[in-house]
Coordinates of all heavy atoms in Angstrom, one line a residue:
L1 N 5.0 11.7 -10.6 CA 4.7 10.5 -9.8 C 4.6 10.9 -8.3 O 3.6 10.4 -7.6 CB 5.9 9.5 -9.9 CG 5.8 8.3 -9.0 CD1 4.6 7.4 -9.2 CD2 7.1 7.4 -9.2
G2 N 5.5 11.7 -7.8 CA 5.5 12.0 -6.4 C 4.4 12.9 -5.9 O 3.9 12.8 -4.8
K3 N 4.0 13.8 -6.8 CA 3.1 14.9 -6.4 C 1.7 14.7 -6.9 O 0.7 15.2 -6.4 CB 3.6 16.3 -6.9 CG 4.9 16.7 -6.2 CD 4.8 16.9 -4.7 CE 6.1 17.4 -4.1 NZ 6.0 17.6 -2.7
I4 N 1.5 13.9 -8.0 CA 0.2 13.7 -8.6 C -0.3 12.2 -8.5 O -1.3 11.9 -7.9 CB 0.2 14.2 -10.0 CG1 0.6 15.7 -10.1 CG2 -1.2 14.0 -10.7 CD1 0.7 16.2 -11.5
I5 N 0.5 11.3 -9.1 CA 0.0 10.0 -9.3 C 0.0 9.2 -8.0 O -1.0 8.5 -7.7 CB 0.8 9.2 -10.4 CG1 0.8 10.0 -11.7 CG2 0.3 7.8 -10.6 CD1 -0.6 10.1 -12.3
F6 N 1.1 9.2 -7.3 CA 1.3 8.4 -6.1 C 0.2 8.8 -5.0 O -0.4 8.0 -4.4 CB 2.7 8.5 -5.5 CG 2.9 7.6 -4.4 CD1 3.0 6.2 -4.6 CD2 3.0 8.0 -3.1 CE1 3.2 5.3 -3.6 CE2 3.2 7.2 -2.0 CZ 3.3 5.8 -2.3
P7 N 0.0 10.2 -4.8 CA -1.1 10.5 -3.8 C -2.4 10.0 -4.2 O -3.3 9.7 -3.4 CB -1.0 12.1 -3.8 CG 0.4 12.4 -4.2 CD 0.8 11.3 -5.2
M8 N -2.7 10.0 -5.5 CA -4.0 9.5 -6.0 C -4.1 8.0 -5.9 O -5.2 7.4 -5.9 CB -4.2 9.9 -7.5 CG -4.3 11.4 -7.7 SD -4.6 11.8 -9.4 CE -6.3 11.1 -9.7
S9 N -2.9 7.3 -5.7 CA -2.9 5.8 -5.5 C -2.9 5.4 -4.1 O -2.5 4.3 -3.8 CB -1.7 5.3 -6.3 OG -1.6 5.8 -7.6
K10 N -3.4 6.2 -3.2 CA -3.4 5.9 -1.8 C -4.1 4.6 -1.4 O -3.6 3.8 -0.7 CB -4.0 7.1 -1.0 CG -4.0 6.8 0.5 CD -4.7 7.9 1.3 CE -6.2 7.9 1.0 NZ -7.0 8.8 1.9
N11 N -5.2 4.4 -2.0 CA -6.0 3.2 -1.7 C -5.3 1.9 -2.1 O -5.3 1.0 -1.3 CB -7.4 3.3 -2.3 CG -8.3 4.3 -1.6 OD1 -8.1 4.7 -0.4 ND2 -9.3 4.9 -2.3
I12 N -4.8 1.9 -3.3 CA -4.1 0.7 -3.7 C -2.8 0.5 -2.9 O -2.4 -0.6 -2.7 CB -3.8 0.8 -5.3 CG1 -3.5 -0.6 -5.8 CG2 -2.7 1.7 -5.6 CD1 -4.6 -1.6 -5.7
T13 N -2.2 1.6 -2.5 CA -1.0 1.5 -1.7 C -1.3 0.8 -0.3 O -0.6 0.0 0.1 CB -0.3 2.9 -1.5 OG1 0.1 3.4 -2.7 CG2 0.9 2.8 -0.6
V14 N -2.4 1.3 0.3 CA -2.8 0.7 1.5 C -3.2 -0.7 1.4 O -2.9 -1.6 2.2 CB -4.0 1.5 2.1 CG1 -4.6 0.8 3.3 CG2 -3.6 2.9 2.5
T15 N -3.8 -1.1 0.3 CA -4.2 -2.5 0.0 C -2.9 -3.3 -0.1 O -2.8 -4.4 0.5 CB -5.0 -2.6 -1.3 OG1 -6.2 -1.8 -1.2 CG2 -5.4 -4.0 -1.6
I16 N -1.9 -2.8 -0.9 CA -0.7 -3.6 -1.0 C 0.0 -3.7 0.3 O 0.5 -4.8 0.7 CB 0.2 -2.8 -2.0 CG1 -0.3 -3.0 -3.4 CG2 1.7 -3.3 -1.9 CD1 0.4 -2.2 -4.5
L17 N 0.1 -2.7 1.1 CA 0.8 -2.7 2.4 C 0.1 -3.7 3.3 O 0.7 -4.5 4.0 CB 0.8 -1.3 3.0 CG 1.7 -0.3 2.3 CD1 1.5 1.1 3.0 CD2 3.1 -0.7 2.4
T18 N -1.2 -3.7 3.4 CA -2.0 -4.5 4.3 C -1.8 -6.0 4.0 O -1.5 -6.8 4.9 CB -3.5 -4.1 4.3 OG1 -3.6 -2.7 4.6 CG2 -4.3 -4.9 5.3
F19 N -2.1 -6.4 2.7 CA -2.0 -7.8 2.4 C -0.6 -8.3 2.5 O -0.4 -9.5 2.9 CB -2.6 -8.0 1.0 CG -4.1 -8.0 1.0 CD1 -4.8 -7.0 0.5 CD2 -4.8 -9.1 1.5 CE1 -6.2 -7.0 0.5 CE2 -6.2 -9.2 1.5 CZ -6.9 -8.1 1.0
N20 N 0.4 -7.5 2.1 CA 1.8 -8.0 2.2 C 2.2 -8.1 3.7 O 3.0 -8.9 4.0 CB 2.7 -7.0 1.4 CG 2.7 -7.4 -0.1 OD1 3.3 -8.3 -0.5 ND2 2.0 -6.5 -0.8
F21 N 1.7 -7.1 4.5 CA 2.1 -7.2 5.9 C 1.6 -8.5 6.6 O 2.4 -9.1 7.3 CB 1.5 -6.0 6.7 CG 1.8 -6.0 8.1 CD1 3.0 -5.5 8.6 CD2 0.9 -6.5 9.0 CE1 3.3 -5.5 10.0 CE2 1.1 -6.5 10.4 CZ 2.3 -6.0 10.9
V22 N 0.4 -8.9 6.2 CA -0.1 -10.2 6.8 C 0.8 -11.3 6.4 O 1.1 -12.2 7.2 CB -1.6 -10.4 6.3 CG1 -2.0 -11.8 6.8 CG2 -2.5 -9.3 6.9
N23 N 1.2 -11.4 5.1 CA 2.0 -12.5 4.7 C 3.4 -12.4 5.3 O 4.0 -13.5 5.7 CB 2.2 -12.5 3.1 CG 0.8 -12.8 2.5 OD1 0.0 -13.5 3.0 ND2 0.6 -12.2 1.3
I24 N 4.0 -11.2 5.4 CA 5.3 -11.1 6.0 C 5.3 -11.4 7.4 O 6.2 -12.1 8.0 CB 5.8 -9.6 5.7 CG1 5.9 -9.4 4.2 CG2 7.2 -9.4 6.4 CD1 6.1 -7.9 3.9
W25 N 4.3 -11.0 8.1 CA 4.2 -11.2 9.6 C 4.1 -12.7 9.9 O 4.6 -13.1 10.9 CB 3.0 -10.4 10.1 CG 3.0 -10.3 11.6 CD1 2.2 -11.0 12.5 CD2 3.8 -9.4 12.4 NE1 2.5 -10.6 13.8 CE2 3.4 -9.6 13.8 CE3 4.7 -8.4 12.1 CZ2 4.0 -8.9 14.8 CZ3 5.3 -7.7 13.2 CH2 4.9 -8.0 14.5
N26 N 3.4 -13.4 9.1 CA 3.2 -14.8 9.3 C 4.3 -15.7 8.6 O 4.2 -17.0 8.7 CB 1.8 -15.3 8.9 CG 0.8 -14.6 9.7 OD1 0.9 -14.4 10.9 ND2 -0.3 -14.2 9.0

């Protein structure tokens, strides 16, 4: 997970962080 799968999931991680940040911030 830490060395293979999670690095390959960078784009979905950024998507999750971005959309959740907007909701949390507001």
Side-chain angles (χ1 to χ4, degrees):
L1 172 62
K3 297 296 184 179
I4 301 174
I5 303 299
F6 188 72
M8 295 181 67
S9 306
K10 181 185 70 173
N11 289 336
I12 197 64
T13 299
V14 171
T15 302
I16 288 172
L17 292 176
T18 303
F19 280 105
N20 279 284
F21 178 83
V22 173
N23 294 328
I24 298 164
W25 193 257
N26 296 322

